[in-house]
Amino acid sequence: MLDMTPEQMIAKTYSSAMDSVNLINAGKPVYMSDADWTDCLSRNKEHLQIMLAKDFWTTEDLTPLRSAAA
């Protein structure tokens, strides 16, 4: 990410955060145990909380991140 413009870095970070949102919103996969899902959910929500604390956001819609992190 060192050779990216600030705009590219923000876009990549937002995309990564949206991966967590989509995973959370999709719900527990049938192949995953309840314990694994709980761990996965916790890690992804923590990721979103870290991303929401960043101060570089510009016009990105952070509503999906906030909702999924709740």
Side-chain angles (χ1 to χ4, degrees):
M1 289 182 30
L2 295 176
D3 60 341
M4 290 185 177
T5 66
E7 293 81 12
Q8 290 170 323
M9 190 273 306
I10 291 169
K12 180 151 181 64
T13 303
Y14 186 77
S15 177
S16 174
M18 285 304 298
D19 287 344
S20 287
V21 168
N22 293 331
L23 184 141
I24 290 167
N25 289 341
K28 180 180 151 306
V30 295
Y31 63 84
M32 191 177 282
S33 72
D34 289 344
D36 285 345
W37 174 244
T38 298
D39 182 54
C40 179
L41 199 56
S42 175
R43 285 184 282 112
N44 280 276
K45 285 185 176 198
E46 182 178 343
H47 172 239
L48 291 175
Q49 291 166 353
I50 291 167
M51 292 300 100
L52 286 166
K54 301 293 183 185
D55 64 357
F56 53 66
W57 299 116
T58 56
T59 60
E60 297 76 23
D61 181 8
L62 302 179
T63 304
L65 281 66
R66 288 187 191 104
S67 295

